[in-house]
Each structure stands twice: as structure tokens, then as C-alpha cells.
Amino acid sequence: GQQLNQSPQSMFIQEGEDVSMNCTSSSIFNTWLWYKQEPGEGPVLLIALYKAGELTSNGRLTAQFGITRKDSFLNISASIPSDVGIYFCAGLKDNNDMRFGAGTRLTVKP
Amino acid sequence: NAGVTQTPKFQVLKTGQSMTLQCAQDMNHEYMSWYRQDPGMGLRLIHYSVGAGITDQGEVPNGYNVSRSTTEDFPLRLLSAAPSQTSVYFCASSYGGLSPLHFGNGTRLTVT
């Protein structure tokens, strides 16, 4: 099945820097989700977006649902070492049809 | 709440062996699904269920069976394990429709 195009594939940043990652698709989605996965764990939901243009924050995390409904981005401000992990975007269509990006692996150097 | 519970956490099988990966959720979710996660491939859907008694195939169903006799449980059966089934398997559940998925902590399976 078609996966989402997520970029970048990996990021190496210094503690305190801001991070930006995005997800694009040729299809329209009705819900955009961002998950974080740490080693040995399952993905954990960070932010859910339900409306085109919606901008939602969760602490230092901010995500937006693109106006075209074909993309979304996630920003992390003032990164800290515990932000390390793999971040996945996911898009949902009406019939439980969920597609995932391949993930962005984030490394934060103290 | 336990959320989504998967057992076992690790498993090693020999080629040709069969086994069942267990998944249970206590959130009264109607929708349950199984994914496999492989390096560079992201999460791929194996099978899913929209309610007790109803199952359907996902993107990569070959070699796997599922059943949904109760709302809470959704076991995944490997009929005759192959090295290509070496992967990390995740069970996930949701209220369905546009609700987010909640994932278990995964089962790491190695087939030798």
C-alpha cells in the first residue's frame, strides 16, 4: 500500500535547537497523526489533527494539518535529550485506512 | 488501565514452526489491527478487525491468520514460520473511523 513521504529520514541536532519534520502524500487524508517510538516500545500518540489548517500544540511540540489535506508538519522547540526517538506521521482516511511515514530518527547531542 | 497488551515480548522460532502472538486491549475498542515493522519499510498492516467476528486482510497478510471471538482479544497466528517473517510485530486498537490507534509494546520475532 502507499506509504506517506516523510522527511528528513534522520536528524542529528544539538540540545536546545528546534526541529522540523514533515509528511506529504498524493492522497487526501481526513486525520493526521504524529507518533513517537522509543527503543523496545510501541509508537505513542503525540498529536492528532482533524481539520485542514488546524494547528495544535502539545508542550514543546506543534503540528499542523495542511490546507490541501495532503501534508502535515511537526515542530519540536528547544530540544532536550529525551526527545530522542523515531517520529512517525500517519494519515487516516474514513474507512480505518491508516498509512504511515517511514519515520524520522532524531538524535539530540547534549 | 493496561491499554494494549502483547505477549510474548520476544520469541525465537525455527522455520516451519507455528505460534500465536497474543494481543488484548481493555479500552473497549472496536477496531484492532496487526502491523509488522521492518527497517526502512515502516509499519505495514497485516490483518485488521472492525469488531468481534469480523476480520479482513491488510497489505501483507500471507502466512498469517487472525480471529476475533471477543472485543478484547485479537491473536495473530503464524502457520508455518519462515525467515522472512523475522520482524517486530505490533498490535494496535482504536474506536474506529478517524480515531487514533493505540499501540502495544511489540513482539520481536526471530525465525531461524
Side-chain angles (χ1 to χ4, degrees), chain B:
Chain B
N1 275 348
V4 180
T5 304
Q6 288 184 241
T7 55
K9 198 160 175 63
F10 301 95
Q11 183 71 50
V12 178
L13 291 178
K14 292 192 190 314
T15 298
Q17 286 185 317
S18 62
M19 81 157 294
T20 299
L21 279 62
Q22 301 292 345
C23 175
Q25 54 91 9
D26 62 358
M27 297 174 281
N28 206 28
H29 285 165
E30 286 296 321
Y31 181 84
M32 295 187 74
S33 54
W34 278 100
Y35 287 85
R36 60 178 289 173
Q37 186 176 38
D38 302 293
M41 304 285 286
L43 287 153
R44 292 184 294 168
L45 182 64
I46 304 171
H47 285 285
Y48 66 95
S49 167
V50 298
I54 306 167
T55 63
D56 211 340
Q57 295 181 351
E59 180 187 353
V60 288
N62 292 340
Y64 307 96
N65 269 359
V66 291
S67 59
R68 185 98 179 268
S69 54
T70 67
T71 300
E72 294 79 18
D73 300 298
F74 191 45
L76 178 73
R77 293 184 193 84
L78 278 70
L79 309 171
S80 177
S84 60
Q85 293 179 305
T86 293
S87 188
V88 181
Y89 291 85
F90 287 101
C91 179
S93 70
S94 78
Y95 289 113
L98 297 176
S99 303
L101 282 175
H102 297 264
F103 287 85
N105 280 335
T107 295
R108 184 175 292 274
L109 175 69
T110 302
V111 183
T112 61

